[in-house]
Amino acid sequence: MLKEMLDHVREKCPLIHNITNYVTVNDCANILLACGGSPIMADDAEEAEEITAICGGLNINIGTLNQRTIPAMHLAGKKANKLGHPVVLDPVGAGASKLRTNTAKALLEDIHFTVLRGNISEIKTLALGTGGAKGVDADIADKVTKENLPQTVAFAKKFAQETGAVIAITGAIDIVADSERAFCIYNGHPMMSSITGTGCQLSAMTAAYVTANPEAPLEATAAAVCAMGICGEKAHARLTEQDGNSSYRNYIIDAICNLTGEELEKCAKYEIL
Amino acid sequence: MLKEMLDHVREKCPLIHNITNYVTVNDCANILLACGGSPIMADDAEEAEEITAICGGLNINIGTLNQRTIPAMHLAGKKANKLGHPVVLDPVGAGASKLRTNTAKALLEDIHFTVLRGNISEIKTLALGTGGAKGVDADIADKVTKENLPQTVAFAKKFAQETGAVIAITGAIDIVADSERAFCIYNGHPMMSSITGTGCQLSAMTAAYVTANPEAPLEATAAAVCAMGICGEKAHARLTEQDGNSSYRNYIIDAICNLTGEELEKCAKYEIL
Amino acid sequence: MLKEMLDHVREKCPLIHNITNYVTVNDCANILLACGGSPIMADDAEEAEEITAICGGLNINIGTLNQRTIPAMHLAGKKANKLGHPVVLDPVGAGASKLRTNTAKALLEDIHFTVLRGNISEIKTLALGTGGAKGVDADIADKVTKENLPQTVAFAKKFAQETGAVIAITGAIDIVADSERAFCIYNGHPMMSSITGTGCQLSAMTAAYVTANPEAPLEATAAAVCAMGICGEKAHARLTEQDGNSSYRNYIIDAICNLTGEELEKCAKYEIL
């Protein structure tokens, strides 16, 4: 099943409109190309709707948020909704400032999202208004563990029910849930958090996966999350003694570039709760 | 002849003012350093003219175009014209939105460009107002092939005549033309399109080449295009089984860093029509 | 002594607020993670103070300076001063335009900086209003050499006295001075200037070092400068024949990721004047 999700991305080469931060934008573009999609970055209100209209899907990311691009996010999101295009929200740093929290909430009210992808603190902020946040990283107190997994799954399903979106909470254990089912995913490597932007990259790639698999947003998102985790593992196995986080970044994107549907199917480690 | 073009860049180390997008800007800076030039990025209207004045050449790229930087592009371009500095335009995504198409056309009216470099759809949009565009990539219907090469060369020469600029249309076959002669260049590798920003990088490098070779903009542009293609080939030959587009990006810039004039002369594959 | 500085960064994982340029921002984020810190980038005036407040230190860099972010720099800097957080200024291109020179001077008047880090031309511009500048690189005439070292050290100590900041002048010889003592550092490799942003990266890392070592800003800055230089050497030793500046960039960040306190202590080459 995951195999088909990946194969559809490579067959359809979905064009993804990204309104995203300037920190990790280059990596987002390259991972979109690596997975088989095609990126376009455009954040001016004057062209946002037009660019969305020529694309298949939209990825909104609020890192390095600024007043100039917020209107473009709303315009593009509403246009995508009108056209029936999938939309992903990455609420980077929601909870860390009022600007980010309020912008993320306003986007949620204005736009129907196909997927909300963030760390546990960001998603809690959106759902409950109470997530802690250590800058753009999750609060330790919020961490998803084997022990609190059932509660977190229930929380994710409930938020999925409320929003109509697939909820993707990523961390040591990843949870990808709609209102009824949750993929708990055990792929990945701790060193992934030593690179800036693995979350942003995953959100961009998820947009490509849900765009290429419009009938199956839950499975498509799970496939993207498994793909990222598996490639984090493969890239780690490739590290030499002299390599560090910069080479690791390159190796993860390289691994996405080389990942086959068969590998994805075989190496994915998850249970459905 | 190509050898001299490269050697002049390394001898003169031209300082290039870039007003460019935030997706590929880091790669543009690094390839400028790799080829022997020196980059400065500055896009605020208040400093645009001053920065242009201390540089030798100017590179304007309309990717991630926004209202804030358009006035800076006009100010810098006019200043460069006044000082006799070469100016390159990369009309990224012209044809994909009215903002980009109209901005590119307004720049063309206001500024004399030394080189216009884009894919076939972007250049057709500028010349005819009819180029298709699949986001920032060329439309398949526009593709330059062995069959339509004579017509495309005639189109490029005519547009060069009209604008007084060297026209560089890059793709599987690259065409670099002034009103009388066209270099048809057969270097490069298909995998180059799996990296974001090879076009942007080439435009930045072209600015360095035409700045270091003010008497020979056609040959200088052809040399930059051949250099990029050759390095795309060399970088591809270096790929291991685990490498993907991210390592490929690094290897191309590395290859530009190591390219000698002799290699450029020997490996360039072109005919003049 | 340098060992402890590095160890404190890894123990405390200081969260650093960066208001920085879009050219080298990704590298700044990755080197902060590599050295043991944690980055957050936020440049909108509406959230600047809030983000500063949740961080331990602040790094202000005026590359790709624009009107939109200048107020955020002042707000964040004053907030950091109020909270007693260390603040680093990287006056990229001061001297190259009035906008940059005047902005850097206004920041200096408004904010107390813990460290000012730049090349000799940028620092001279701030101190004397007379530094030459070749874009974002130092003027040859300003170059620090064995011969003018005593005068440059005296200049740095005097400027440290005037500003109450540690002055870090980096180049072939690096000088890190407070009003009484100056570390003259001989680590590094000439090839570091063939990468965009090694200075920006060092400023970001310096913010992490001074934040983790609040009692010893001089030693902490010297440790960061030595670390960068040593890693420039180690990364250079790792280069293969096909590697160029792009791989070198990755290798430097990798080396920072792997650098131990013992190595830093052992490989640092400096004298105190």
Side-chain angles (χ1 to χ4, degrees):
Chain A
M1 174 269 294
L2 300 179
K3 176 187 181 306
E4 283 68 41
M5 301 292 127
L6 180 151
D7 291 343
H8 291 159
V9 177
R10 297 215 191 270
E11 285 158 21
K12 298 180 183 173
C13 188
L15 182 58
I16 304 301
H17 178 195
N18 296 270
I19 303 180
T20 189
N21 68 78
Y22 60 81
V23 185
T24 64
V25 58
N26 185 270
D27 294 329
C28 289
N30 275 326
I31 207 162
L32 273 168
L33 288 160
C35 79
S38 183
I40 182 163
M41 277 61 184
D43 67 14
D44 195 89
E46 197 174 320
E47 69 172 354
E49 293 173 291
E50 258 179 297
I51 298 292
T52 286
I54 60 167
C55 290
L58 173 65
N59 174 40
I60 297 177
N61 175 306
I62 66 165
T64 62
L65 188 65
N66 65 75
Q67 305 289 356
R68 189 179 65 72
T69 58
I70 295 172
M73 293 176 177
H74 284 273
L75 287 166
K78 285 195 277 195
K79 183 73 172 184
N81 279 176
K82 199 169 286 174
L83 296 169
H85 294 180
V87 192
V88 174
L89 176 65
D90 188 332
V92 180
S97 78
K98 283 193 282 293
L99 176 66
R100 299 206 191 194
T101 304
N102 295 342
T103 300
K105 287 185 175 173
L107 289 167
L108 260 183
E109 276 168 33
D110 212 23
I111 298 161
H112 171 253
F113 287 97
T114 314
V115 185
L116 304 175
R117 196 222 59 83
N119 65 42
I120 180 68
S121 295
E122 290 159 349
I123 300 296
K124 278 194 171 174
T125 296
L126 293 192
L128 313 170
T130 61
K134 191 199 155 222
V136 291
D137 293 320
D139 195 301
I140 292 285
D142 290 332
K143 205 184 162 189
V144 180
T145 61
K146 271 281 178 198
E147 286 64 43
N148 65 24
L149 188 60
Q151 296 95 298
T152 314
V153 163
F155 157 73
K157 286 180 177 175
K158 182 155 174 285
F159 193 40
Q161 169 92 57
E162 284 164 26
T163 55
V166 171
I167 305 301
I169 300 167
T170 56
I173 306 173
D174 307 310
I175 297 169
V176 176
D178 64 13
S179 60
E180 298 184 355
R181 286 181 308 153
F183 285 76
C184 300
I185 299 169
Y186 300 93
N187 293 106
H189 192 279
M191 193 176 166
M192 295 172 82
S193 62
S194 76
I195 307 171
T196 191
T198 44
C200 302
Q201 290 175 45
L202 174 53
S203 293
M205 187 161 68
T206 298
Y209 270 73
V210 294
T211 301
N213 297 284
E215 316 286 297
L218 179 68
E219 289 79 2
T221 304
V225 173
C226 288
M228 194 74 191
I230 291 166
C231 289
E233 296 165 13
K234 286 181 64 180
H236 190 265
R238 187 181 165 189
L239 291 174
T240 67
E241 207 173 291
Q242 291 185 295
D243 285 334
N245 63 333
S246 192
S247 290
Y248 189 43
R249 180 258 302 267
N250 292 313
Y251 295 167
I252 290 177
I253 299 177
D254 282 354
I256 291 290
C257 197
N258 291 318
L259 188 70
T260 63
E262 287 74 16
E263 252 181 311
L264 174 57
E265 197 74 58
K266 202 184 99 188
C267 302
K269 284 184 282 194
Y270 62 88
E271 54 180 338
I272 297 176
L273 293 187
Chain B
M1 173 269 293
L2 300 178
K3 176 185 181 306
E4 284 68 41
M5 301 292 129
L6 180 150
D7 290 343
H8 292 158
V9 177
R10 298 215 190 270
E11 284 158 23
K12 298 180 184 175
C13 189
L15 183 57
I16 304 301
H17 178 195
N18 296 271
I19 303 180
T20 188
N21 68 78
Y22 59 80
V23 184
T24 63
V25 58
N26 185 271
D27 294 328
C28 289
N30 276 325
I31 207 161
L32 273 169
L33 288 158
C35 78
S38 183
I40 181 162
M41 275 64 183
D43 66 15
D44 196 90
E46 197 174 322
E47 70 172 354
E49 293 173 291
E50 257 178 298
I51 297 292
T52 287
I54 60 166
C55 290
L58 174 64
N59 173 40
I60 297 178
N61 175 307
I62 66 166
T64 63
L65 188 65
N66 67 74
Q67 305 289 356
R68 189 180 65 72
T69 58
I70 295 172
M73 293 176 179
H74 284 273
L75 288 166
K78 285 193 279 193
K79 184 71 172 186
N81 279 175
K82 200 169 286 174
L83 296 169
H85 294 181
V87 193
V88 174
L89 175 65
D90 188 331
V92 180
S97 78
K98 283 192 283 294
L99 177 66
R100 299 206 191 195
T101 304
N102 295 341
T103 300
K105 286 184 175 173
L107 289 166
L108 260 184
E109 276 168 33
D110 212 24
I111 297 161
H112 171 254
F113 287 97
T114 314
V115 185
L116 305 174
R117 195 222 60 84
N119 64 44
I120 180 68
S121 295
E122 291 159 350
I123 299 296
K124 279 195 171 174
T125 296
L126 294 192
L128 313 170
T130 61
K134 191 199 154 221
V136 292
D137 294 320
D139 196 300
I140 292 285
D142 291 333
K143 205 183 160 190
V144 180
T145 61
K146 271 280 178 196
E147 286 65 43
N148 65 23
L149 188 61
Q151 295 96 297
T152 313
V153 163
F155 157 73
K157 286 180 177 175
K158 182 155 174 287
F159 193 41
Q161 169 93 55
E162 285 163 25
T163 56
V166 171
I167 305 300
I169 299 168
T170 56
I173 305 174
D174 307 310
I175 297 169
V176 176
D178 64 13
S179 60
E180 297 184 354
R181 286 182 308 152
F183 285 77
C184 300
I185 299 170
Y186 300 92
N187 292 107
H189 192 280
M191 193 174 164
M192 296 172 82
S193 63
S194 75
I195 307 170
T196 191
T198 44
C200 302
Q201 291 173 45
L202 174 53
S203 293
M205 187 161 69
T206 298
Y209 270 72
V210 294
T211 302
N213 296 285
E215 317 285 298
L218 179 69
E219 289 79 3
T221 304
V225 173
C226 289
M228 195 74 191
I230 291 166
C231 288
E233 296 164 14
K234 286 181 64 178
H236 190 265
R238 187 182 165 189
L239 291 174
T240 67
E241 208 174 290
Q242 292 185 295
D243 284 333
N245 63 333
S246 192
S247 290
Y248 189 43
R249 179 257 304 265
N250 292 312
Y251 295 167
I252 290 176
I253 299 176
D254 283 353
I256 291 290
C257 197
N258 291 319
L259 188 70
T260 63
E262 287 74 16
E263 252 182 311
L264 174 57
E265 198 74 58
K266 201 185 99 189
C267 302
K269 286 183 281 195
Y270 62 89
E271 54 180 337
I272 297 177
L273 293 186
Chain C
M1 175 268 293
L2 300 180
K3 175 185 181 307
E4 284 67 42
M5 301 292 129
L6 180 150
D7 291 343
H8 291 159
V9 178
R10 298 215 189 270
E11 285 158 21
K12 298 179 183 174
C13 187
L15 183 58
I16 304 301
H17 178 195
N18 296 271
I19 303 180
T20 189
N21 68 78
Y22 59 80
V23 184
T24 65
V25 59
N26 185 270
D27 294 328
C28 288
N30 275 326
I31 207 161
L32 273 168
L33 287 160
C35 79
S38 182
I40 181 163
M41 275 63 183
D43 66 14
D44 196 272
E46 196 174 321
E47 70 172 354
E49 292 173 291
E50 259 178 297
I51 297 292
T52 287
I54 61 168
C55 290
L58 173 65
N59 174 41
I60 296 177
N61 175 306
I62 66 166
T64 62
L65 189 65
N66 65 75
Q67 304 289 356
R68 188 180 65 71
T69 59
I70 295 171
M73 293 176 178
H74 284 273
L75 288 167
K78 286 195 276 194
K79 183 72 171 185
N81 279 175
K82 199 170 286 174
L83 296 169
H85 295 180
V87 192
V88 174
L89 176 65
D90 187 332
V92 179
S97 78
K98 282 192 284 292
L99 176 66
R100 300 207 191 192
T101 304
N102 294 342
T103 300
K105 286 184 175 173
L107 289 167
L108 260 183
E109 276 168 32
D110 212 25
I111 298 161
H112 172 253
F113 288 97
T114 314
V115 185
L116 305 174
R117 195 222 59 84
N119 64 43
I120 180 68
S121 296
E122 290 159 350
I123 300 296
K124 278 194 170 173
T125 296
L126 294 192
L128 312 170
T130 62
K134 190 199 156 223
V136 292
D137 293 320
D139 195 300
I140 292 285
D142 290 334
K143 205 183 161 189
V144 179
T145 61
K146 271 280 177 196
E147 286 65 43
N148 65 23
L149 188 60
Q151 296 95 297
T152 314
V153 163
F155 157 73
K157 286 180 177 174
K158 182 155 175 285
F159 192 40
Q161 169 92 56
E162 285 164 25
T163 56
V166 171
I167 306 300
I169 299 167
T170 55
I173 305 173
D174 307 310
I175 297 169
V176 176
D178 64 12
S179 60
E180 297 184 355
R181 287 181 308 153
F183 286 76
C184 301
I185 300 170
Y186 300 93
N187 292 105
H189 192 279
M191 193 175 165
M192 295 172 82
S193 63
S194 74
I195 307 170
T196 190
T198 44
C200 301
Q201 292 173 44
L202 174 54
S203 293
M205 187 161 68
T206 298
Y209 270 72
V210 294
T211 302
N213 296 284
E215 316 286 297
L218 179 68
E219 289 78 3
T221 303
V225 172
C226 289
M228 195 73 192
I230 291 166
C231 289
E233 296 165 13
K234 286 181 64 181
H236 190 265
R238 188 182 165 188
L239 291 173
T240 67
E241 208 174 290
Q242 291 184 297
D243 284 334
N245 64 332
S246 192
S247 290
Y248 189 44
R249 180 256 306 265
N250 291 313
Y251 295 168
I252 290 176
I253 300 177
D254 283 353
I256 291 290
C257 197
N258 292 318
L259 187 71
T260 64
E262 287 74 17
E263 251 182 312
L264 173 57
E265 198 74 59
K266 202 184 98 188
C267 302
K269 285 182 282 194
Y270 62 89
E271 54 180 339
I272 297 176
L273 292 188

